[in-house]
């Protein structure tokens, strides 16, 4: 228990590339049950599978000159014990759910560009780093 308290678990999205801003946010979930994306989006921050949200403003400006891509780190945090147990068991799926502006008729704007990433990594990080 002491070792677990001394570390945090981080989900890293490495080498993220987009040609232009896709115009949507991507909500990131760990071990989200199949067919639950719509339910999870209604109150993402309160969902026990929610890890964070990615916007692309900084990523697009960072990539203006090309380069190796952008890295995003999301902390699974101590408030998500179910996620930490899944990570410890090695049973992890990561789901990216796009959420665009609401259009007439209740539809949502789809992504306007493709998002690519080189790797998705889970790692333990010593506390205080």
């Amino acid at each position: 228990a002491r070792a677990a308290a001394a570390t945090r678990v981080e989900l890293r999205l490495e080498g993220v590339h987009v040609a232009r801003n896709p115009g949507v946010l991507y909500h990131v979930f760990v071990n989200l049950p199949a067919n639950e994306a719509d339910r999870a989006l209604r109150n993402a921050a309160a969902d026990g599978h929610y890890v964070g949200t990615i916007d692309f403003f900084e990523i697009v400006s960072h990539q203006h000159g090309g380069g190796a891509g952008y890295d995003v780190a999301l902390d699974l945090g101590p408030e998500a014990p179910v996620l930490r147990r899944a990570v410890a068991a090695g049973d992890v799926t990561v789901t990216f759910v796009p959420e665009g502006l609401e259009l007439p008729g209740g539809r949502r704007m789809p992504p306007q560009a493709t998002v690519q990433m080189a790797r998705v990594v889970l790692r333990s990080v010593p506390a205080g780093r």
Side-chain angles (χ1 to χ4, degrees):
R2 205 174 306 174
T7 64
R8 60 186 178 83
V9 178
E10 179 179 85
L11 176 70
R12 288 185 58 81
L13 313 173
E14 297 179 348
V16 178
H17 282 277
V18 290
R20 61 188 171 99
N21 194 322
V24 299
L25 299 173
Y26 278 86
H27 300 286
V28 183
F29 298 87
V30 171
N31 288 6
L32 184 67
N35 302 318
E36 296 240 350
D38 288 337
R39 180 207 49 82
L41 276 180
R42 278 182 245 137
N43 194 8
D47 188 279
H49 301 275
Y50 175 75
V51 178
T53 299
I54 305 168
D55 71 56
F56 293 88
F57 299 108
E58 188 174 342
I59 294 172
V60 171
S61 65
H62 174 77
Q63 291 181 345
H64 185 348
Y70 195 81
D71 295 343
V72 177
L74 301 169
D75 189 350
L76 269 60
E79 69 282 354
V82 171
L83 301 181
R84 291 177 68 88
R85 281 194 298 274
V87 169
D91 183 22
V92 177
T93 60
V94 179
T95 303
F96 300 90
V97 181
E99 181 179 31
L101 295 174
E102 189 167 344
L103 301 172
R107 294 179 308 127
R108 295 252 176 212
M109 183 176 82
Q112 304 298 302
T114 301
V115 178
Q116 299 175 327
M117 61 190 73
R119 294 183 340 151
V120 177
V121 178
L122 281 166
R123 69 181 195 155
S124 293
V125 179
R129 287 184 76 194

